[in-house]
Amino acid sequence: MKNVYSASTTVKKLAFCLLTALTLPMILTGCGRREEPVSRTDFCFDTVVSVTLYDIPRKDGERLLDRCTELLTHYDREVFSAHDERAVLWRFNHADPGEGSLTARLRSADVDPEFLALTERAFSWQARTDGAFSPTLGCLIDLWNIGGDPPGPVPTREAVAEALSHSSPEDPDARLDLGGIAKGYAADRLKEYLTGEGVTSAVINLGGNVLLIGARPDGSPFRVGIRDPGSGGESSVILTIPLSDQSVVTSGIYERYFEEDGVRYHHILDPSTGYPADSGLSSVTILSADSADGDALSTACLVLGAEKGQALIESLPDTEALFITAEGEQIRTAGFPEDLAGYSALTPSRSRD
Ligand code: ADP
Ligand code: MG
């Protein structure tokens, strides 16, 4: 078996993620800027995360970034982790299931209200995406072990069927997994905190979930690069779009995967088959106000495919999408911004300068 994603140390994972961040925010040095940007990079949610604040004195910026690191660590390790025994989610999944459905248990258990609220939102996206987004795939996700070290191996058909039979919210043995929405939610909470502290220009980038606060210090929009899903380890940018105060989330089948016998198995599972989504799409980028919504939708659309995904996004207010097919065709919803042709892409590491 060839493990394409088999980083054995945090350092290797960091390097991997730096090279493969899905969405590359391009922070250009603006004329008339009063302060140098203040930036922090951490490793959280199993990926590289960075927050960059503009137009703020360094000392104040560092204080806010300390709190951002605390918040990210809290959400990652203490709330949404499926692997950390301290996490609310882990403890819920490993409590005695009893007889009732997962949803009944969730509502009766003494769980953290914030956790419960996000889980309810995840269920509401499940209903609105025809089940393409599912927060109860924990058994299948554990079985596929795509984020493991090493990942895989490919499970037997029987094992997939068994795990799939415990993937409904009605099943007492189902397990929660909020990996498809938690980063977007954490980004929203960081934005809420930073704007409350008076920040007016910032970029929050949680491994490809980019959430913008305001515009660049000179008032012009940020320029966000969308990765070419066909670029492999090169991470080249396929298009660059102008954006302010919005969320940009990309889900791609090339981000986390392993290969066995020449077949690639990626980390977004189709809840109707139990196997990695095979919708003909390589990536989906969602623009929205709220990053948790964008996160759930990018995962869902990758499962739904271009046609159903486009219909869903067109039905939602203030939400736009770009679908890139396996053949490299780009399909956009009506309001998706035009490519800023002529602006060259910056690399992820340069975007943190
Ligand atoms: P990433 O986490 O790489 O940014 P996504 O937001 O698309 O990508 O989330 C993928 C993660 O969501 C998986 O690693 C897994 O934890 C979970 N997941 C996989 N398939 C689904 C699905 N169909 N619905 C909801 N969550 C999913
Ligand atoms: Mg997602």
Side-chain angles (χ1 to χ4, degrees), residues 1-179:
M1 181 175 82
K2 185 180 164 207
N3 287 334
V4 176
Y5 178 51
S6 63
S8 58
T9 65
T10 299
V11 173
K12 277 191 192 164
K13 281 185 178 173
L14 191 82
F16 174 85
C17 293
L18 273 174
L19 284 169
T20 60
L22 293 166
T23 313
L24 319 174
M26 301 166 61
I27 296 109
L28 306 183
T29 41
C31 298
R33 193 179 62 212
R34 281 167 284 161
E35 303 280 352
E36 284 296 311
V38 191
S39 192
R40 175 86 48 91
T41 299
D42 293 303
F43 191 86
C44 241
F45 291 103
D46 210 20
T47 189
V48 177
V49 299
S50 70
V51 181
T52 305
L53 310 178
Y54 296 89
D55 227 2
I56 186 167
R58 171 157 296 277
K59 200 157 153 273
D60 297 344
E62 293 292 351
R63 177 179 61 80
L64 300 186
L65 292 175
D66 286 345
R67 180 65 186 143
C68 287
T69 300
E70 274 174 23
L71 281 170
L72 285 171
T73 310
H74 166 69
Y75 286 121
D76 177 21
R77 301 196 191 140
E78 294 169 7
V79 185
F80 298 121
S81 175
H83 305 289
D84 195 315
E85 299 183 12
R86 286 169 296 176
V88 180
L89 187 141
W90 190 94
R91 283 187 277 125
F92 178 81
N93 277 344
H94 290 83
D96 180 7
E99 296 300 313
S101 70
L102 179 138
T103 27
R105 189 155 62 91
L106 193 61
R107 281 163 196 160
S108 63
D110 184 20
V111 287
D112 173 52
E114 191 180 12
F115 176 81
L116 185 61
L118 184 64
T119 310
E120 299 281 3
R121 249 170 102 182
F123 282 126
S124 124
W125 280 120
Q126 181 171 32
R128 295 163 78 186
T129 60
D130 260 345
F133 182 87
S134 168
T136 47
L137 296 182
C139 296
L140 267 173
I141 289 165
D142 288 349
L143 177 71
W144 278 97
N145 189 34
I146 290 172
D149 181 17
V154 177
T156 62
R157 292 211 159 264
E158 293 72 29
V160 171
E162 166 66 14
L164 194 57
S165 74
H166 298 300
S167 294
S168 140
E170 303 315 315
D171 190 297
D173 293 321
R175 287 186 174 182
L176 288 172
D177 183 291
L178 297 177

Side-chain angles (χ1 to χ4, degrees), residues 252-282:
I253 65 167
Y254 50 84
E255 198 199 8
R256 287 169 200 263
Y257 62 87
F258 68 95
E259 282 177 7
E260 196 173 302
D261 298 331
V263 180
R264 185 180 283 201
Y265 298 90
H266 65 83
H267 72 315
I268 297 175
L269 303 177
D270 183 337
S272 67
T273 64
Y275 281 78
D278 187 18
S279 64
L281 291 176
S282 289

